Amino acid sequence: MTGSLDKSLRLWNLNSEEMVIEEGPCVRAVTDHSGAILCLTQLGHDLVCSGGHDLCLWDTNGALLDKFDRCTLPDTSDVHTVLRLETAHLSVVAASNYKCLSVFDIEKPMLTDKGCYKFMRDQKRRYLNQSHVYPITFLSGISASFFASGCQGGSIIVWSVQHLSALKIFYCLPQPQRELTTTEFTKVSCIEVVAEGYVFAAVGCGFKMYDVLGQEKDAAGHPKPLVSHTCAHLLPLTSLTFLQDRAQLVTVAEDKTMRLWGSPAARQRREGEGNGHATQGKSAIEMFIGPTSRKSSLPTVPLLLGELHLHAGVIKVLSALEEQGVVTGGDDGSLVLWKDGERERERRDREMYSFILGQPHAPE
């Protein structure tokens, strides 16, 4: 299922033998949205929610189940993210270019009723009490218990799914920078979940990492970042992802580059200068932040391991491919697959070793 700025939602059969590269069998095309479709979220094996000017519920056959026209609400800006809440009842939280998050409850059909899923029209739980000072730019789930939102002014709010209340606020930028609301250099463009309780945030040209459950605070009394780099790229970041198996961070930005980040200790170990036993039993995030970040009053500043250039346009998409590498997509119309260079060298070394011994090498 795909949604587009042309207001249409289309259903595609990827299992069809007629599927070809340039055009394939479109099973269904509908135009029930009154505006552009900016997000699609699967709420279950048989239910999908789309967002834009309207909120719509669809079944997996592309049939419209219900439509919520948001013109009756104070917030008329388009919804750019919809997130399912893991609660006893079915609910979604929606983010738009507004300062508040809105929650929509979904009524389930009774087993003995021929009805369908639909939005509950009551106004009791429409907006969350706590709000950002500036428009919300990003919304992401952290775990079954928490989700987080980031805004144009560089702050992040961590929310409780159960109580729908703010648990902690991270101020990623100093107060003078947070007042610059009209620039891309202050907004939170991405929130990446590293593990239970840890999040990376792309803020302007840099990034931060926080322990959601931690109690450490800086001199101003705000939650302390464990990792911080304010000038990671020349232009604002568009996305980031953490490679768990390599304890490295990958960032992409509007400057058309992709950069790899790691701890200085990790680089020393790879170059044979450190003690390999020091990493035994440690998680990837512990190796990345280093041994002194919790004891020091200053956050860890990671080391730039490398910079990659290939895209001719701004890199908009970044996704990790498990242990194989990452994929990037840019507004130059290209997708690039990046393979882990160290793993490739290890594979070639194994093949050479098997060749020298005269043993057949099993393909991976």
Side-chain angles (χ1 to χ4, degrees):
M1 187 176 290
T2 59
S4 172
L5 299 180
D6 63 6
K7 307 179 185 180
S8 70
L9 182 139
R10 295 175 182 267
L11 193 68
W12 307 84
N13 182 11
L14 301 183
N15 295 321
S16 173
E17 296 180 356
E18 301 176 0
M19 193 69 180
V20 294
I21 294 178
E22 295 184 356
E23 58 183 39
C26 178
V27 178
R28 192 168 188 172
V30 290
T31 56
D32 293 282
H33 265 272
S34 58
I37 301 177
L38 303 182
C39 58
L40 280 173
T41 301
Q42 188 170 3
L43 305 182
H45 68 280
D46 59 349
L47 187 64
V48 176
C49 180
S50 62
H53 178 72
D54 315 307
L55 283 179
C56 294
L57 294 176
W58 312 84
D59 65 15
T60 52
N61 294 320
L64 179 64
L65 304 179
D66 194 18
K67 179 179 179 180
F68 192 100
D69 188 353
R70 298 174 56 255
C71 66
T72 60
L73 302 179
D75 170 29
T76 57
S77 59
D78 291 350
V79 171
H80 56 70
T81 310
V82 173
L83 184 67
R84 177 182 177 178
L85 298 179
E86 299 293 338
T87 57
H89 53 275
L90 185 58
S91 300
V92 296
V93 57
S96 61
N97 294 327
Y98 192 56
K99 301 175 184 179
C100 298
L101 293 172
S102 53
V103 175
F104 298 86
D105 293 330
I106 299 174
E107 183 178 350
K108 297 181 180 180
M110 301 297 293
L111 296 177
T112 58
D113 189 6
K114 293 184 180 180
C116 60
Y117 291 97
K118 61 181 180 180
F119 292 107
M120 299 180 65
R121 283 343 196 243
D122 65 330
Q123 303 292 320
K124 295 180 181 179
R125 298 174 60 245
R126 190 61 57 210
Y127 291 100
L128 301 187
N129 293 330
Q130 182 73 30
S131 65
H132 286 277
V133 179
Y134 304 110
I136 297 172
T137 55
F138 201 85
L139 176 66
S140 175
I142 297 178
S143 66
S145 303
F146 308 107
F147 62 96
S149 57
C151 77
Q152 182 76 38
S155 64
I156 297 173
I157 298 180
V158 177
W159 306 85
S160 166
V161 171
Q162 181 179 2
H163 303 288
L164 293 177
S165 59
L167 296 180
K168 190 171 293 187
I169 301 178
F170 301 109
Y171 295 101
C172 304
L173 298 173
Q175 184 65 35
Q177 289 181 282
R178 294 202 301 270
E179 295 176 353
L180 301 175
T181 60
T182 59
T183 175
E184 294 290 309
F185 289 81
T186 62
K187 80 171 185 178
V188 178
S189 57
C190 183
I191 300 174
E192 171 79 7
V193 181
V194 178
E196 183 71 21
Y198 294 97
V199 294
F200 273 101
V203 187
C205 297
F207 55 82
K208 309 270 185 175
M209 195 203 80
Y210 293 93
D211 181 0
V212 174
L213 304 178
Q215 302 297 325
E216 295 85 358
K217 295 184 178 181
D218 58 19
H222 300 148
K224 167 193 167 185
L226 298 181
V227 175
S228 177
H229 199 308
T230 57
C231 298
H233 284 262
L234 299 178
L235 294 176
L237 275 69
T238 55
S239 186
L240 52 78
T241 188
F242 186 73
L243 304 180
Q244 293 275 8
D245 59 325
R246 311 303 292 180
Q248 294 177 357
L249 180 70
V250 182
T251 59
V252 293
E254 295 179 5
D255 58 10
K256 308 176 186 179
T257 65
M258 179 170 71
R259 292 185 174 183
L260 278 67
W261 306 89
S263 68
R267 187 168 193 177
Q268 291 176 2
R269 286 192 297 271
R270 286 194 299 272
E271 295 174 352
E273 300 175 2
N275 185 2
H277 298 286
T279 63
Q280 294 182 0
K282 291 187 177 181
S283 65
I285 198 64
E286 289 175 328
M287 292 187 291
F288 183 79
I289 63 179
T292 61
S293 61
R294 292 185 181 274
K295 301 178 182 179
S296 173
S297 59
L298 298 176
T300 297
V301 179
L303 182 69
L304 177 61
L305 303 179
E307 180 178 280
L308 304 174
H309 299 259
L310 190 58
H311 283 277
V314 176
I315 304 176
K316 297 292 185 65
V317 179
L318 171 66
S319 181
L321 300 176
E322 296 181 351
E323 298 181 357
Q324 302 300 319
V326 296
V327 58
T328 56
D331 58 10
D332 56 358
S334 64
L335 286 174
V336 181
L337 302 178
W338 305 86
K339 193 167 184 178
D340 191 320
E342 292 189 14
R343 292 187 181 276
E344 179 68 12
R345 286 192 293 270
E346 292 173 359
R347 183 188 66 82
R348 293 178 180 177
D349 290 343
R350 289 196 302 270
E351 290 181 350
M352 180 61 67
Y353 181 72
S354 300
F355 175 77
I356 294 175
L357 297 180
Q359 299 175 352
H361 179 70
E364 297 181 355

